[in-house]
Amino acid sequence: MSNKYLHWLSLLTIICLLLSLSACQTHEQVLPTAPSRVTAIPAALFLQLQPNLQWPEPAALSRGVLNIQDGCLRLVSAHDPQGYAVIWKATIIFDGSNISDLQTKVQIQLGKPVTLGGGSVGADYLAHVQQPNSSCLAPYWFATHIPASQ
C-alpha cells in the first residue's frame, strides 16, 4: 500500500469515527412542567415608604389578591384585573415570602385573598419609597395596615 493510500484511509477512518460519535450523542428531552408557585417576592417589587415619614394616610379598605404583574406587586380583583400597585407603610415588612404588619400582627401571602387598609394615592408617593421601581404604573394603593379580620 502506498503512503498516499494510507493517508486517505486514515483520514476516512477519522471522519467515520467522528460521524459515528456525533450520531451516538443523546439528546435530553425537556418536558414542560406546571408553573411553579411563587414563594418569594423580589425585594424590588416591595415598594415601601421610608421609615419615620409623616405622610397622609387614607382610611379606606380594598379587597383582592396580591399578584405580580409587569414586574410590580399589585392588588387585583375579578372586577379590576389591572388593580393597584401597592405602596406599603414602613410598619409593614417583607421577609422574602410573607408580608407582615407589625402593628396588627397579621401576615399575608402572595396569591391569597387579602384586605388592605389605606387608599388610592398619586404617583407623588413613589418619590418616598425605599427602593424605587419605575415599572409600577398607576393606579397606586397606599397600604397603611392589614386588618386582623383576614
Side-chain angles (χ1 to χ4, degrees), residues 48-140:
Q48 185 179 41
L49 281 185
Q50 299 165 358
N52 303 317
L53 183 67
Q54 298 300 319
W55 205 253
E57 293 186 12
L61 291 175
S62 186
R63 290 178 181 82
V65 175
L66 290 171
N67 286 331
I68 297 174
Q69 293 180 359
D70 300 324
C72 186
L73 186 60
R74 300 189 79 84
L75 181 66
V76 299
S77 65
H79 69 276
D80 187 9
Q82 177 195 358
Y84 292 94
V86 182
I87 300 172
W88 304 90
K89 185 176 176 179
T91 56
I92 301 174
I93 60 170
F94 166 63
D95 69 6
S97 59
N98 293 307
I99 299 168
S100 303
D101 188 328
L102 298 176
Q103 293 177 333
T104 64
K105 309 291 188 231
V106 177
Q107 279 190 346
I108 56 176
Q109 294 177 343
L110 187 69
K112 305 247 178 177
V114 297
T115 300
L116 296 178
S120 182
V121 295
D124 51 331
Y125 277 67
L126 286 178
H128 301 285
V129 298
Q130 293 181 38
Q131 294 183 341
N133 183 339
S134 61
S135 69
C136 293
L137 302 175
Y140 302 101

Side-chain angles (χ1 to χ4, degrees), residues 31-48:
L31 298 174
T33 59
S36 61
R37 194 174 87 105
V38 176
T39 56
I41 306 165
L45 298 179
F46 193 76
L47 301 176
Q48 185 179 41

Side-chain angles (χ1 to χ4, degrees), residues 15-30:
I15 291 172
C16 288
L17 181 61
L18 289 174
L19 286 173
S20 66
L21 288 175
S22 67
C24 291
Q25 289 181 355
T26 60
H27 295 283
E28 253 184 64
Q29 184 177 7
V30 178

